[in-house]
Amino acid sequence: ETGVTQTPRHLVMGMTNKKSLKCEQHLGHNAMYWYKQSAKKPLELMFVYNFKEQTENNSVPSRFSPECPNSSHLFLHLHTLQPEDSALYLCASSHAPGQEVNYGYTFGSGTRLTVV
Amino acid sequence: DQQVKQNSPSLSVQEGRISILNCDYTNSMFDYFLWYKKYPAEGPTFLISISSIKDKNEDGRFTVFLNKSAKHLSLHIVPSQPGDSAVYFCAASARGAQKLVFGQGTRLTINP
């Protein structure tokens, strides 16, 4: 158990479906992140939340909609996705800037998403 | 523009020998570097890090070397063990910046 829990672990969805990915951490972190990992590509940062506020959107299409109701939970709502959105979606958390020295993230195990 | 590059997608090493994974970066503002290890179906886990004020950091079998003038870092694993077989990601951050920038990873396979 890494301290960051992601559900579901696997998800297959059609292009017209709506689904949500969930991330939960109990590490006392106040920053949470969504990353996308596609085959043979670097991890791509999607969104950053600090103290529940979105501080970065890395030009992510609007079919991905994040939600951060509190510092421990992060969601990624998905709708009308494309097959090329199939990837491993990783959630991470860390201490927020100014809270203390921010040395790295703790990652969840990811959700393997397949869009058919 | 990929700021952190791992040019070797894969590496195969004999058990007991040294594994050397390389990483290059382009952003001179980066001052903190990390290596993450990832097994299939798991998220990346932190392995070792180094600050730009150092040129070497050692933790057991793992040593990271930083060459700031060349904008290059490397991870040495010695002796390599079968359990070290995984994908290794290099990451970097700039002073005052929150964001980690990752390389594309190197798949290390340790052969018995």
Side-chain angles (χ1 to χ4, degrees):
Chain A
E1 182 59 57
T2 64
V4 178
T5 304
Q6 288 188 245
T7 54
R9 292 294 302 271
H10 301 273
L11 178 63
V12 179
M13 60 186 289
M15 288 188 284
T16 58
N17 291 160
K18 289 184 180 181
K19 297 286 184 183
S20 295
L21 310 184
K22 179 182 177 183
C23 176
E24 185 174 354
Q25 60 90 9
H26 298 288
L27 299 170
H29 291 161
N30 276 301
M32 296 188 79
Y33 313 81
W34 280 116
Y35 273 85
K36 174 183 178 182
Q37 187 191 6
S38 304
K40 299 180 181 178
K41 286 187 176 181
L43 277 75
E44 301 171 56
L45 178 66
M46 300 175 72
F47 302 103
V48 179
Y49 278 82
N50 285 308
F51 298 97
K52 306 186 299 178
E53 300 298 320
Q54 187 181 124
T55 54
E56 185 156 351
N57 175 338
N58 201 24
S59 303
V60 180
S62 59
R63 57 185 184 271
F64 295 91
S65 175
E67 178 190 1
C68 189
N70 55 62
S71 292
S72 298
H73 294 84
L74 184 65
F75 296 89
L76 187 62
H77 304 298
L78 316 171
H79 63 100
T80 59
L81 295 192
Q82 306 298 312
E84 58 265 28
D85 296 322
S86 299
L88 180 68
Y89 288 85
L90 290 161
C91 172
S93 70
S94 74
H95 293 291
Q99 198 176 15
E100 70 175 67
V101 175
N102 182 20
Y103 282 167
Y105 305 164
T106 301
F107 282 89
S109 298
T111 295
R112 173 67 64 184
L113 174 67
T114 304
V115 181
V116 297
Chain B
D1 176 34
Q2 196 171 331
Q3 300 182 65
V4 178
K5 297 181 183 179
Q6 294 175 257
N7 291 316
S8 298
S10 63
L11 177 67
S12 187
V13 174
Q14 202 72 23
E15 181 178 359
R17 307 293 287 268
I18 184 171
S19 296
I20 301 176
L21 297 99
N22 293 302
C23 178
D24 297 294
Y25 62 95
T26 57
N27 189 341
S28 58
M29 298 299 291
F30 287 150
D31 68 342
Y32 196 71
F33 305 89
L34 308 92
W35 284 94
Y36 281 81
K37 176 180 179 179
K38 184 181 181 303
Y39 291 119
E42 294 183 14
T45 55
F46 171 75
L47 188 58
I48 192 169
S49 63
I50 188 167
S51 164
S52 61
I53 62 174
K54 294 184 175 181
D55 55 17
K56 176 183 174 181
N57 188 27
E58 190 172 353
D59 183 2
R61 295 186 298 115
F62 303 91
T63 303
V64 56
F65 295 92
L66 176 62
N67 182 334
K68 290 184 289 293
S69 60
K71 293 190 177 65
H72 176 85
L73 66 155
S74 61
L75 173 68
H76 292 210
I77 306 173
V78 56
S80 300
Q81 298 174 355
D84 296 329
S85 296
V87 177
Y88 289 79
F89 290 96
C90 171
S93 69
R95 186 185 306 277
Q98 181 179 7
K99 190 167 63 175
L100 282 183
V101 180
F102 286 86
Q104 61 269 61
T106 296
R107 181 176 301 279
L108 175 65
T109 303
I110 306 301
N111 302 307

